[in-house]
Amino acid sequence: MESCSLGIDIGGTKIAAGLVSRSGEVFEQKNYPTPQESNQSILEVLREIISSFPGIALEMDKNLIGIGVGSAGQVNFKDGQILSGTTNIKDWNNIHITKYLNQFTDLPIWLDNDANTFAVAEYVHGSARGTNDMVCLTLGTGVGGGIISNGDLIRGDWGGAAELGHITVDMNGPACNCGSNGCMEVYASGTGIANRMKEHLAHLAKQELPEEIKFYLENPERLTSKEVFSWYEAGLPVATETINLAIQALSYGIVSIIHTFNPSVIVLGGGLVRERTWLATEIKKNIASKGIRSLVEPVDIRISELGYHAGLIGAASQVWFQQ
């Protein structure tokens, strides 16, 4: 009977759950809408998942040996607790996930930050397999990070290490929700790109803008990074400054990461880069003239191979990666 693990990836809009083999093959996957009523509603979905999947595993003649959970937010890995969550998951703070789930299963459970589980997925099964030292950056609503050094995931004292999106790239830059200023996240996340674009539009004369862009000047709450990238890729000059700023912020942040951790590979993932492989090329070109050459020049910048499945596979892979 082949062994498998249950991976659970908790996101702002959906919770993905699936049985995953040690080789990274997804046998069975189900998606559940992320409840918006309360954190208790989310816990009920998690309880349903860990109650139903053992039976699914048996039907598939699989030996379920453990459960791995990935979630956004500050995660105390030692205690299996979400310390502080994310704005797109309601009241996701001070939640003892493993303590709650242990009431309903005898299987071992691991909980980690979703950027760490992404790093594990790409290290074991994806773009960084075969390396010993890698860093991942997940670019979405925010900017997350995960670091594997000499084959070990760097967590720090309790699990809060690798908040790479909060590396300051401009000490006089815009305020970040972390309490600092000029973080990579305020320029290079989906939210940051949209906010910088709104600021730029506010300083332009309305009559100078194409009709498709005037709408967002009058309805700034509708603007997202998707529109900004679309304008940039269509060659509209109005978006050039904002996207170039994002690329520069990422480039300087990545150079600092390289100076600190000396990785051989940096993997970019998340919604912003999934369909934009050109970002890796632009960043590689930008960092070539920055930093200590012997450290920066050999680093390969890659796009995630696992895409949408990285979170689920990484969460499940904790079961073997921790052993």
Side-chain angles (χ1 to χ4, degrees):
M1 183 182 289
E2 183 178 7
S3 294
C4 69
S5 61
L6 171 58
I8 303 173
D9 183 32
I10 305 170
T13 57
K14 70 176 174 64
I15 298 171
L19 299 175
V20 181
S21 72
R22 186 165 192 160
S23 64
E25 180 184 357
V26 180
F27 295 124
E28 176 77 13
Q29 179 178 344
K30 293 184 178 182
N31 295 328
Y32 305 76
T34 304
Q36 302 300 317
E37 301 84 14
S38 65
N39 56 42
Q40 188 60 41
S41 299
I42 298 173
L43 291 175
E44 286 297 316
V45 172
L46 299 184
R47 182 180 65 81
E48 177 187 342
I49 290 168
I50 69 166
S51 298
S52 62
F53 268 87
I56 296 172
L58 281 175
E59 290 174 4
M60 299 182 69
D61 197 30
K62 306 296 182 186
N63 179 30
L64 183 57
I65 63 170
I67 300 168
V69 183
S71 174
Q74 289 282 313
V75 175
N76 185 320
F77 179 78
K78 292 179 179 179
D79 295 341
Q81 177 187 7
I82 305 286
L83 296 181
S84 59
T86 174
T87 55
N88 59 353
I89 302 179
K90 186 175 180 61
D91 194 24
W92 203 229
N93 302 295
N94 299 314
I95 311 294
H96 290 269
I97 287 185
T98 57
K99 183 179 179 181
Y100 174 80
L101 294 181
N102 279 331
Q103 301 175 86
F104 311 106
T105 180
D106 294 326
L107 292 169
I109 302 172
W110 287 267
L111 169 72
D112 210 342
N113 172 271
D114 58 357
N116 282 344
T117 59
F118 174 90
V120 169
E122 293 295 334
Y123 173 73
V124 178
H125 302 295
S127 295
R129 63 186 178 278
T131 66
N132 275 326
D133 296 270
M134 62 85 74
V135 173
C136 79
L137 286 172
T138 57
L139 310 180
T141 305
V143 176
I147 303 160
I148 290 178
S149 180
N150 197 29
D152 294 322
L153 190 64
I154 294 180
R155 289 197 178 86
D157 180 32
W158 46 263
E163 284 289 350
L164 302 181
H166 297 291
I167 292 174
T168 295
V169 293
D170 179 6
M171 65 181 183
N172 297 312
C176 179
N177 59 17
C178 76
S180 188
N181 288 78
C183 295
M184 187 159 47
E185 184 170 293
V186 303
Y187 298 107
S189 66
T191 303
I193 288 170
N195 286 340
R196 303 291 75 78
M197 189 73 242
K198 291 171 189 176
E199 292 172 353
H200 183 55
L201 288 177
H203 290 91
L204 297 178
K206 184 176 180 180
Q207 60 270 22
E208 297 175 358
L209 297 173
E211 286 300 322
E212 64 185 291
I213 295 176
K214 286 180 183 177
F215 170 81
Y216 293 101
L217 183 62
E218 297 166 354
N219 302 274
E221 73 284 353
R222 301 285 295 275
L223 181 64
T224 70
S225 61
K226 181 179 179 180
E227 287 77 35
V228 184
F229 272 112
S230 177
W231 299 340
Y232 179 81
E233 290 165 344
L236 298 181
V238 69
T240 301
E241 179 179 321
T242 299
I243 297 301
N244 283 347
L245 190 60
I247 292 170
Q248 286 298 316
L250 281 169
S251 299
Y252 278 105
I254 285 172
V255 167
S256 293
I257 290 166
I258 293 170
H259 285 171
T260 306
F261 298 105
N262 186 205
S264 59
V265 173
I266 291 179
V267 179
L268 305 179
L272 293 193
V273 300
R274 201 166 283 130
E275 306 298 330
R276 300 182 180 95
T277 56
W278 57 264
L279 264 176
T281 304
E282 285 299 308
I283 290 168
K284 180 67 175 177
K285 185 168 64 177
N286 268 270
I287 68 174
S289 59
K290 299 174 177 65
I292 300 171
R293 184 174 178 180
S294 60
L295 286 168
V296 174
E297 192 174 71
V299 177
D300 198 5
I301 310 294
R302 302 176 184 173
I303 299 294
S304 163
E305 284 185 13
L306 301 176
Y308 290 102
H309 295 293
L312 176 63
I313 293 172
S317 295
Q318 292 182 91
V319 173
W320 291 285
F321 188 76
Q322 311 305 336
Q323 295 176 3

